[in-house]
Amino acid sequence: MIRTKTLIFALLLLSLSWLSAIAQHAQLPTPWTEIAKQTEVPLAEYPRPQLERKEWQCLNGTWDYIGGKDAPNALNPSTSISFDHAKENILVPYCPESYLSGIQRKQEVNMWYGKKFELPKQWRNKDIILHFGAVDHNATIFINGKKVGAHAGGYHSFWFNITPFLKTGQNTLVVAAHDSNDGKYPSGKNGPRGDYTFSSGIWQTVWIEPVNKNHIQSIKLLPQLVEKQLKVQVNSISKAKVTAIVSAEGRQIAKMVSQSDADFTIPIENPKLWSPDAPFLYDLQLYIHDGNGEVIDEVKSYFGMRDVKLANVNGIMRPLLNGQFVMQLGLLDQGYWPDGILTAPTEEALKHDIEFTKNAGYNLIRKHMKTEPQRFYYWADKMGLLVWQDMPCLWYPDEDTTVYRKAFRDEYKAIIDEHYNSPSIIAWVPFNENWGAFDVKNITNWTKQYDPSRLVNGNSGFNNNPSYQKAYGDPGNGDFVDTHIYVGPNGASVPDQKRAASLGEFGGVGLFVRDHMWPVENNAYAYEPTVEALTDRYIFLMDNVEQLVRYKGLSVAIYTQTTDVEHEVNGLLTYDRKIQKMVLNKIRTVNQAVIKAGSSLNEQKKGMIFRSK
């Protein structure tokens, strides 16, 4: 009897071991999965390319972790916890629901992270700033057992000055993260009605940097083409003298001395324009000085000289880039990964989808219902892709409106502020298909006033609506009349007297690729049986888009989508990014033909009148 019990216990342990091994198996590995898994410090590239300092330290890598059902409540805790008996480790910055994290547990709510670190000796007498790329959704930070502060919002970066909490030698950082995943806060597809794997906690880079007491906190850059200048604002802890130097291809072309916390302009003679065809970027060096003229902080940045407007072209409202109508043809880009969920496994993976989109002949991506690390926008800036940036939706806007609607507005503003300097971003999209839509007209107007340098699509796909919520519909303002047509494109919106016509989503034609699909029941809006048939179907759709551009006033068309995403198999790439589902050179040819058709309309324009912003 004892031997039988022993045998049963041994088999049980073996079974649990086998189940654990299955749990840690990558269901659909990408070409970068094992590289990321074996990297001691993953995603170790400098995380903030538009405000770069020479000295910094990446804190990504292995952290202690306490999660699951037995984790203490992590919603705004007042005290830290000990990791002396922690049995798990997590690989930051991958969310605990992902394979790459090493946890791979479904929908964590309370998460506790612990990390020990030491400061380099040369950082003595410096202030130390602790940065988080993004933590979903509430984060409370402790250093050496003392509470530093708390932050709410899952899609934008934040920081704390942790200098008063540090000690000589080893320091302990604890992050308590709480994510209710109930759809009441902005959550996009990462919520109860969002279709895909929920994700929680730390999902972008954690890092520290040393600064002087007075240092540059943020910068704001606005290219002004008509005036041939760059408008600059440098915000510092205390007011200081600022020196700004602009370089082009290694040669200094302009220098300006001014003050921080006030706007000033830098002349840019004969500016080289930024566009998808020629994404030229200027280098910008910024210094602030103490009362003796000594440099006390130095950062490196960049900018692109471009402007975006709406104009009447041959009697039709069209979006212009640098004074010319450019047909915006792009992909719906959701930014999900089978191994990292919201987080690309490596820098090469992050670049991959942008490179593929560019090589396929598109000039636009619509970043759908999520934000990305700042390096994503850096590569879009550098490679030359236009970006429409969605605001991740909340799902239940009518519950406790003073709390949840305020959270939406606060995070939307933070996202605009964080990515304001990126030349690739040309439009903000506060709402999609009425999901969580509220005060759309007012929020659209606010966006136009807050950032008049870009276009605004107030409610992309206002013709669609979730069944549980009353449709807000067309707000009637903003810069686009935008409908979603699946499969389409016929039936797309037409321009009105004040707005351009956009087909914000269409297509969605699927192809099953055995051994390269997420292990669930897969679906799409329509299907084709082979690569060749899908390619031909796509070409036919794009030929129809060209007709709409030429004769119906269409100015934007966004095809669904860059990659398959979990159950959806309507991507140009499989979810693991290993298989191209259409013939790339044929896709590129027809895409370029559609964009060229749009450009040909510039040759006919006469008496063009610019809209007042």
Side-chain angles (χ1 to χ4, degrees):
M1 187 70 174
I2 294 176
R3 289 180 180 176
T4 303
K5 288 183 177 178
T6 303
L7 178 60
I8 292 172
F9 183 68
L11 289 173
L12 179 61
L13 287 177
L14 181 62
S15 175
L16 290 173
S17 175
W18 179 78
L19 288 172
S20 176
I22 291 294
Q24 291 303 314
H25 174 67
Q27 292 180 301
L28 193 63
T30 70
W32 308 277
T33 301
E34 287 309 307
I35 296 172
K37 193 71 174 175
Q38 296 170 20
T39 301
E40 185 176 351
V41 182
L43 295 166
E45 294 78 14
Y46 192 87
R48 192 185 55 197
Q50 286 192 319
L51 189 65
E52 183 176 348
R53 291 188 175 92
K54 294 178 181 178
E55 291 188 279
W56 72 293
Q57 182 179 326
C58 185
L59 297 183
N60 291 349
T62 301
W63 290 45
D64 294 322
Y65 183 74
I66 297 174
K69 294 181 180 179
D70 297 327
N73 192 324
L75 182 60
N76 300 322
S78 58
T79 58
S80 184
I81 64 172
S82 170
F83 289 86
D84 291 344
H85 303 291
K87 297 180 180 180
E88 293 182 300
N89 294 118
I90 189 169
L91 190 62
V92 169
Y94 307 110
C95 67
E97 292 84 357
S98 71
Y99 164 75
L100 286 176
S101 72
I103 302 298
Q104 203 173 3
R105 192 158 47 233
K106 184 179 179 180
Q107 194 176 353
E108 295 285 75
V109 174
N110 295 299
M111 297 148 279
W112 292 82
Y113 299 78
K115 179 76 170 179
K116 296 186 183 300
F117 66 96
E118 291 190 23
L119 301 178
K121 293 180 180 179
Q122 63 269 29
W123 290 12
R124 289 176 180 172
N125 302 319
K126 296 281 189 178
D127 277 16
I128 306 301
I129 309 298
L130 170 64
H131 295 271
F132 294 87
V135 181
D136 196 6
H137 174 268
N138 294 82
T140 306
I141 313 304
F142 300 89
I143 296 289
N144 298 322
K146 296 181 179 180
K147 185 175 178 178
V148 174
H151 176 268
Y155 292 93
H156 64 279
S157 63
F158 60 97
W159 57 268
F160 295 101
N161 188 326
I162 60 173
T163 312
F165 305 91
L166 297 171
K167 63 183 182 181
T168 303
Q170 193 174 73
N171 291 273
T172 301
L173 164 62
V174 171
V175 178
H178 178 90
D179 189 7
S180 59
N181 267 315
D182 58 10
K184 295 178 181 179
Y185 288 103
S187 54
K189 297 294 185 76
N190 180 29
R193 294 181 177 270
D195 281 343
Y196 312 139
T197 300
F198 296 166
S199 60
S200 309
I202 298 173
W203 67 277
Q204 290 188 29
T205 291
V206 184
W207 56 291
I208 53 177
E209 63 175 344
V211 295
N212 287 320
K213 293 289 183 185
N214 192 14
H215 60 273
I216 296 171
Q217 285 189 300
S218 64
I219 61 174
K220 190 173 184 179
L221 309 175
L222 176 63
Q224 297 177 319
L225 294 194
V226 174
E227 297 84 358
K228 295 183 180 180
Q229 63 188 22
L230 177 73
K231 186 178 179 181
V232 181
Q233 185 180 96
V234 177
N235 300 306
S236 58
I237 297 293
S238 303
K239 195 162 187 174
K241 186 176 81 171
V242 174
T243 299
I245 297 175
V246 175
S247 300
E249 299 175 323
R251 181 176 62 87
Q252 181 177 318
I253 64 167
K255 181 178 180 179
M256 182 63 61
V257 177
S258 186
Q259 295 289 320
S260 63
D261 304 312
D263 292 343
F264 63 93
T265 58
I266 306 173
I268 309 293
E269 296 297 330
N270 302 313
K272 292 186 177 182
L273 304 184
W274 183 97
S275 72
D277 291 333
F280 185 84
L281 296 175
Y282 288 88
D283 294 316
L284 176 64
Q285 206 79 22
L286 293 166
Y287 308 85
I288 61 170
H289 308 263
D290 63 16
N292 298 319
E294 296 294 321
V295 173
I296 53 175
D297 195 16
E298 171 186 350
V299 299
K300 184 171 69 172
S301 189
Y302 68 88
F303 63 94
M305 291 296 290
R306 66 100 182 94
D307 71 358
V308 184
K309 290 184 172 69
L310 213 60
N312 187 309
V313 180
N314 305 318
I316 295 173
M317 296 307 298
R318 304 272 193 187
L320 303 189
L321 178 68
N322 303 330
Q324 297 288 308
F325 168 51
V326 175
M327 172 60 190
Q328 296 176 23
L329 181 63
L331 290 173
L332 192 74
D333 191 310
Q334 305 210 56
Y336 273 74
W337 299 83
D339 47 12
I341 306 182
L342 285 189
T343 307
T346 68
E347 175 86 348
E348 288 305 311
L350 187 72
K351 291 169 55 180
H352 172 270
D353 288 1
I354 302 174
E355 291 175 322
F356 171 79
T357 303
K358 184 81 175 177
N359 291 337
Y362 299 95
N363 61 10
L364 172 76
I365 53 176
R366 178 182 169 198
K367 180 49 63 176
H368 189 45
M369 303 307 290
K370 70 169 286 196
T371 59
E372 294 285 357
Q374 292 183 38
R375 292 196 65 84
F376 177 92
Y377 304 96
Y378 164 74
W379 287 115
D381 295 342
K382 195 171 180 63
M383 295 183 200
L385 268 178
L386 306 172
V387 175
W388 279 23
Q389 179 60 56
D390 286 14
M391 171 62 189
C393 72
L394 45 75
W395 290 97
Y396 304 108
D398 299 323
E399 295 189 24
D400 202 349
T401 56
T402 57
V403 174
Y404 301 123
R405 292 187 179 189
K406 182 180 185 302
F408 180 95
R409 294 177 188 273
D410 289 348
E411 185 148 23
Y412 183 39
K413 178 181 179 298
I415 288 170
I416 293 174
D417 289 342
E418 180 171 347
H419 301 293
Y420 181 89
N421 296 332
S422 178
S424 60
I425 298 177
I426 61 164
W428 302 114
V429 185
F431 294 103
N432 175 76
E433 294 184 350
N434 297 283
W435 299 351
F438 69 94
D439 293 347
V440 181
K441 183 183 288 287
N442 291 334
I443 289 174
T444 301
N445 280 336
W446 175 86
T447 308
K448 291 291 295 180
Q449 293 166 5
Y450 191 66
D451 183 6
S453 71
R454 289 182 172 89
L455 304 176
V456 182
N457 187 353
N459 189 3
S460 180
F462 60 79
N463 57 312
N464 291 330
N465 188 62
S467 59
Y468 69 94
Q469 181 185 337
K470 183 179 179 180
Y472 188 98
D474 183 4
N477 60 345
D479 296 303
F480 295 100
V481 184
D482 185 297
T483 51
H484 295 175
I485 307 293
Y486 286 107
V487 170
N490 295 318
S493 54
V494 295
D496 62 24
Q497 294 300 308
K498 296 181 179 180
R499 298 178 296 171
S502 168
L503 183 56
E505 295 179 28
F506 79 106
V509 183
L511 176 70
F512 294 113
V513 182
R514 189 171 285 108
D515 300 325
H516 295 276
M517 298 187 293
W518 196 243
V520 295
E521 183 179 0
N522 303 115
N523 53 56
Y525 292 97
Y527 302 91
E528 292 295 340
T530 65
V531 168
E532 292 75 17
L534 181 59
T535 302
D536 289 344
R537 178 81 174 270
Y538 179 85
I539 291 171
F540 175 72
L541 293 177
M542 296 312 298
D543 287 344
N544 277 273
V545 168
E546 182 177 341
Q547 293 290 302
L548 297 177
V549 174
R550 290 183 181 276
Y551 307 115
K552 296 293 185 180
L554 188 67
S555 293
V556 183
I558 299 171
Y559 185 85
T560 300
Q561 57 186 324
T562 310
T563 74
D564 294 350
V565 182
E566 299 203 1
H567 62 86
E568 298 175 2
V569 291
N570 47 20
L572 271 70
L573 295 168
T574 54
Y575 194 23
D576 59 9
R577 276 72 167 176
K578 292 181 179 179
I579 304 294
Q580 294 179 10
K581 298 166 72 175
M582 300 187 203
V583 181
L584 188 64
N585 64 328
K586 292 185 177 181
I587 299 307
R588 181 170 53 245
T589 297
V590 72
N591 287 344
Q592 290 296 292
V594 172
I595 293 172
K596 186 177 179 180
S599 298
S600 70
L601 299 176
N602 289 298
E603 301 168 5
Q604 307 167 22
K605 68 184 181 185
K606 295 179 181 179
M608 185 164 51
I609 303 172
F610 282 90
R611 276 187 60 199
S612 171
K613 300 300 284 188

